[in-house]
Amino acid sequence: MKTFLALVLAVFPVLLRAQPEKPAPISYTDAEGRFTLTYPRTWQLRPNAGGADAAFYAPATGQPVPAVVTVTTRPLPNALKDRPLIGPGSQDTLWQSIRRLPQAQVIQLDQKNYGRYEEVRYDYTYAPGPGQAGRLHVAGRRLWRVGYEFVVEYRAATSQDARALPEGEQLLNSFAFTDKAIVSRRYTDQVCDGKMYGIAAMSHRTGQWEDDCRTIHEFSTDDLSDGALVHRNALPFQSYALAKGFDNCLYSVTKAPTNQSELVYRYDPTTRRGAYTTWQLPAQGFDNIWISAATDERGDLYFLSSDANKLVKVSPGDGGTVTLVWTKDPTQQAAYYPEIAFDGAGTHGNFCLDDANTVYMVYSTDGSLVRVDVKTQRPAPELLAITGLPKRGGYSDVLLQNDESGRRRLFLAGPHGLYRVNLARRKASYVRRGTYTDLAGCNLFRVTYRSAPPLPTATVPWRGRVLNADTYLPLTAAELRIGRETASAVVPLSTDATFSYGSATPGKPYFYKAQLPGFIDADSSWTVGAGPTVHDILLRPLAVGTTLPLANVQFEQGQAVLLPGSARALNQLVELMTDNPRLTIEVRGHTDNVGEPAKNVALSEARVAAVKAYLVAHGVAETRITGVGFGGAKPAASNAQEVTRKLNRRVEFRVTGV
């Protein structure tokens, strides 16, 4: 036995030797040091191969399609650099593109947001095409970070998978970003500098002062007493509205009262060049202008109409999405509103925002400040009176900035001067000379801003109650419908009138319609938040004396011809009267005080007749409708200025019988 063991040891000594270790993989880092990966020593590196930054080829096997892993990086196009890779529908887009391939099979497709970057992983096979045998296997990682795209992808014939795929997957998984900072191209990652800008209302030329509103003055917040750097005729139009983006560019829109959609203009103070963006503001309203602009903590840009009834948000960090924030001046809810809206009163449409979602609006007559919470759209209970200002009017804008010490300061553009306001003491001090229609800056947000996480892809519940708008008691017998495109799905109410709509997509508007005999239908929409949402729906009682405006019922100028946009509100009134056959109403027409009173009465009567004719033509009995034209006898707002005068040109209805 011992002899046999000695023979075995002599003949097969290799069996007892240690097996050689697998060679360690080779580390690869790109030229800029942004990422690293490892690849097997048996694979061959080819830099800049076939449009890729680097290609790693598996050992040759004689196959017509070699197994290869490529790494490709590129700056994302401007249209994509600020958009998220991960979000609702993004996975479906890739899935559909894969399914368009011949005989495609999806093995894996998932996505995740890691905070520093977003990633989609994919793994699929497909037939290469007519006349080509076998199948191709593609697996990869697509990563978006700070405005750049990184794609690492394995591609080979499936016949090579047994040999090449395990090492190819290890190579894919080894890809990782280094600790080296990458200069971001994303809008919201830019650092807002301390410079401050103002649109010059006047310019001194040929020995006299002339109307300007195109030239921009540039200041350093560290020392506003220094002379301004002048950007003469920086804007291709006259403007009252200027905002500064996180990219340190300036954004503006014409002051012309076009009542049409307007493109936002971007001006780069560094290059002194500008161009129109693709961001389009909605029509500002009849006899209205965009009077002011501002920036918030996300770098979103806001534009406010001169009557303060339309606040629009443009989100450069979301590809320039345009959102209507409000359509009615929230200060109309305030007890002090009559103090700033009487005949001959000034405007309060110039504004700025702080980092707590508060809008500061300046009353042009005396420089008092009006505050509104953007989220709730509720005004603060009091005006902030500021001392130390000239008594004459002409206060045109406010701006919050940090000074050289990092302290928050409020700057106010007044008559022929710029003032610094101590909000704690409510006292202003003169800083420098100049008349500016709007101020722009954003260094208040360069420290506090944090990027918000993307909206989740899962649906969330929308819960709430249907309540009486007068008593706020639950209306358990109400009928509620909710839907994405139309209010189509019946949503049951519990014993306390609670409802739960559990399939709402975050960030999307949903239409709802609540009905109950004896109440006016609630027919509107609600945008669900990023998480579970609670929002009550109010129904107004249908009672004698109730007077409601016919919103968006409009006529041709100086005529009694209904505009097409009036149909929706009138059709809702037709439906209300059809559902309530005993309902009778009085249609009321109003004008402003411009022109001869007798002609205004005649015009308002003609417009009432046009509304009545529409209702009758749509099946409402003429005997259920009376009408009266008041002309300008019953104004709802001041006739001293157009921004409030337009509120007096209206049509409404009053319930006379139920």
Side-chain angles (χ1 to χ4, degrees), residues 352-409:
C352 70
L353 294 108
D354 69 4
D355 51 2
N357 295 299
T358 300
V359 172
Y360 286 78
M361 307 162 79
V362 61
Y363 179 42
S364 64
T365 299
D366 62 9
S368 296
L369 299 179
V370 178
R371 294 164 296 161
V372 176
D373 187 298
V374 175
K375 291 184 177 179
T376 65
Q377 296 185 21
R378 293 182 179 178
E382 63 173 349
L383 286 170
L384 288 181
I386 306 299
T387 62
L389 294 172
K391 292 185 178 180
R392 64 184 182 276
Y395 297 96
S396 57
D397 199 27
V398 285
L399 175 67
L400 281 162
Q401 284 275 94
N402 287 329
D403 65 12
E404 65 276 8
S405 302
R407 294 172 297 182
R408 180 173 304 186
R409 297 297 189 191

Side-chain angles (χ1 to χ4, degrees), residues 30 55 75 132 136 143 167 197 225 275 321 331 333 366 370 394 397 417 485 511 520 529 601 642:
D30 72 306
Q132 301 183 46
L136 295 181
L143 308 96
E167 290 183 328
Y197 299 84
S225 63
T321 301
T331 64
Q333 310 170 49
D366 62 9
V370 178
D397 199 27
E485 301 296 335
F511 294 91
I520 298 173
V601 171
E642 179 53 30

